[in-house]
Amino acid sequence: MKDHSDLVLEVKNLKTVFFTNSGLFRAVDDVSFTVSRGETLAIVGESGCGKSVTALSLMRLVPDPPGRIVGGSITLEGTDLLALDEAQMRAVRGNRMSMIFQEPMTSLNPVMRIGDQIAEAVRLHRAMPSREARDIAVEMLRLVRIPEPARRAREYPHQLSGGMRQRAMIAMALACRPALLIADEPTTALDVTIQAQILALILDLQRELGTGLVLITHDLGVVAQTAQRVIVMYAGRKVEEASVETLFAAPKHPYTRGLMASIPTLPASGVPAQARLNEIPGTVPSLVRLPPGCAFAPRCKLAVKRCETEYPPLADWGGGHLAACWRAADVAEVA
Ligand SMILES: Nc1ncnc2c1ncn2[C@@H]1O[C@H](COP(=O)(O)OP(=O)(O)OP(=O)(O)O)[C@@H](O)[C@H]1O
Ligand SMILES: [Mg+2]
């Protein structure tokens, strides 16, 4: 059982919507999960299923308008983030909770030296002389294994390679030792060899600092190698959650099985390094006009009448394995 004091993040029934001209998009619909100290939770699912909006909701960075969190709670280290005002939230971001993005240039300031940016981020949350903050910046660059950190600290983002920029962004995100790090596709913009290095770095630092990690990725190989638990999202909802071993060995949702169908060998014999999400025939339904039943039913080989009319509740299959599927018991038969 999970020790409650180890809980870093608790998300309950989160709902985030976008008010657009074509209607109300339910981007995140009733999603719950927890992250413990030092734990990695992976979020997987096809494009548009609500992974990034979930991440942005945690940081309270959903663009408003058109977006808004309309329900649920987000509790970070015992603090209800949805009850904070913007000034209080700014004290949390980059301090107790940080986010790294796919494209480092979205978080780095192109006209400011790398070291100064990290130092400024630290001074935003800790009162200290600028000299001391600059020393911390160099220390962080060393921690993310940037060679000659003191020299690199004086350079501008454009003087660094893509991989080095990603390291600098990680250094900045971790400078205040956050309890929670959110990484949204942190390596997809990088080439394959660099991807592996950056991922290994994130995991090393996470272990060293005891940071809870929410890792959003399309790559099931990455999930198998890094996460302890996985949630699978479809059309804004969590449709399955399990430990990584259970999910790969015995997925309960036909959608999860579909995502895995492209992997020739499952983890027992080693997951290939680049196991991308498989193409499942059909497309994700419009989030404006979701069917009354299971949103995956139109694409599901196992769908029966009930699937089209009644949304399946998340059922517990034991050991924290949750799946929202009327046919979950029969899934193994039809692979
Ligand atoms: N600024 C916005 N305005 C309106 N709708 C939006 C906006 N941002 C996101 N959405 C809606 O939220 C849904 C979920 O988007 P999100 O970016 O979370 O998907 P994702 O799972 O991260 O996809 P990807 O794998 O492509 O990154 C989208 O399908 C879209 O309908
Ligand atoms: Mg995304």
Side-chain angles (χ1 to χ4, degrees):
M1 273 272 69
K2 206 170 291 173
D3 179 356
H4 198 75
S5 63
D6 262 1
L7 215 56
V8 171
L9 178 76
E10 185 168 29
V11 177
K12 275 191 189 161
N13 309 107
L14 181 67
K15 277 186 202 230
T16 305
V17 301
F18 289 95
F19 300 91
T20 73
N21 290 337
S22 36
L24 184 74
F25 278 78
R26 295 174 204 282
V28 179
D29 197 0
D30 207 20
V31 169
S32 303
F33 56 90
T34 62
V35 181
S36 297
R37 214 181 118 72
E39 181 184 41
T40 299
L41 174 78
I43 304 183
V44 300
E46 284 168 298
S47 191
C49 69
K51 304 182 298 295
S52 292
V53 175
T54 300
L56 291 173
S57 300
L58 301 182
M59 294 287 285
R60 288 213 7 217
L61 289 174
V62 175
D64 176 5
R68 197 180 310 153
I69 297 172
V70 294
S73 63
I74 301 169
T75 310
L76 180 76
E77 299 181 295
T79 302
D80 176 6
L81 296 188
L82 298 185
L84 301 185
D85 62 28
E86 185 46 38
Q88 292 170 316
M89 197 57 215
R90 270 199 299 273
V92 172
R93 278 188 218 113
N95 186 16
R96 301 312 305 150
M97 152 198 256
S98 286
M99 183 159 169
I100 54 180
F101 300 86
Q102 178 173 335
E103 182 38 70
M105 286 313 261
T106 56
S107 0
L108 294 175
N109 181 344
V111 297
M112 200 172 167
R113 296 174 201 273
I114 294 286
D116 291 346
Q117 298 194 37
I118 299 173
E120 194 165 279
V122 171
R123 279 191 359 130
L124 198 61
H125 301 291
R126 310 264 188 282
M128 64 173 73
S130 56
R131 220 217 109 92
E132 204 175 305
R134 270 204 301 276
D135 289 346
I136 291 181
V138 173
E139 233 6 85
M140 286 311 296
L141 293 176
R142 194 189 317 280
L143 191 68
V144 297
R145 292 168 212 147
I146 290 184
E148 299 181 75
R151 182 173 70 79
R152 290 299 193 173
R154 292 190 297 272
E155 294 190 337
Y156 292 91
H158 74 265
Q159 293 174 281
L160 272 60
S161 68
M164 286 296 156
R165 278 203 289 263
Q166 201 66 341
R167 285 170 195 268
M169 183 167 67
I170 294 167
M172 188 152 85
L174 294 177
C176 289
R177 313 280 158 128
L180 184 75
L181 179 67
I182 303 165
D184 190 356
E185 307 269 4
T187 59
T188 34
L190 304 167
D191 72 53
V192 176
T193 46
I194 311 285
Q195 281 188 11
Q197 292 170 11
I198 295 290
L199 202 67
L201 172 71
I202 293 174
L203 293 174
D204 277 0
L205 295 176
Q206 178 205 16
R207 260 190 295 271
E208 217 171 299
L209 307 176
T211 318
L213 176 65
V214 175
L215 181 67
I216 296 175
T217 177
H218 273 97
D219 192 325
L220 289 175
V222 165
V223 172
Q225 286 160 23
T226 61
Q228 282 85 55
R229 276 184 316 120
V230 188
I231 69 174
V232 181
M233 289 186 69
Y234 187 74
R237 281 177 163 150
K238 178 172 87 174
V239 297
E240 184 156 12
E241 170 169 354
S243 70
V244 73
E245 296 82 10
T246 303
L247 194 85
F248 280 94
K252 284 282 179 199
H253 202 290
Y255 177 60
T256 311
R257 290 193 88 87
L259 292 179
M260 286 174 180
S262 66
I263 306 182
T265 46
L266 290 175
S269 43
V271 171
Q274 286 289 297
R276 304 290 298 183
L277 293 192
N278 186 35
E279 287 282 316
I280 302 171
T283 51
V284 181
S286 160
L287 297 180
V288 179
R289 274 171 297 277
L290 283 181
C294 172
F296 188 61
R299 300 169 74 187
C300 183
K301 281 187 270 184
L302 294 181
V304 293
K305 199 85 214 134
R306 185 183 202 185
C307 304
E308 288 160 25
T309 53
E310 231 180 299
Y311 190 82
L314 274 167
D316 194 337
W317 292 85
H321 187 180
L322 306 175
C325 174
W326 293 119
R327 301 294 312 275
D330 311 315
V331 149
E333 293 167 22
V334 188

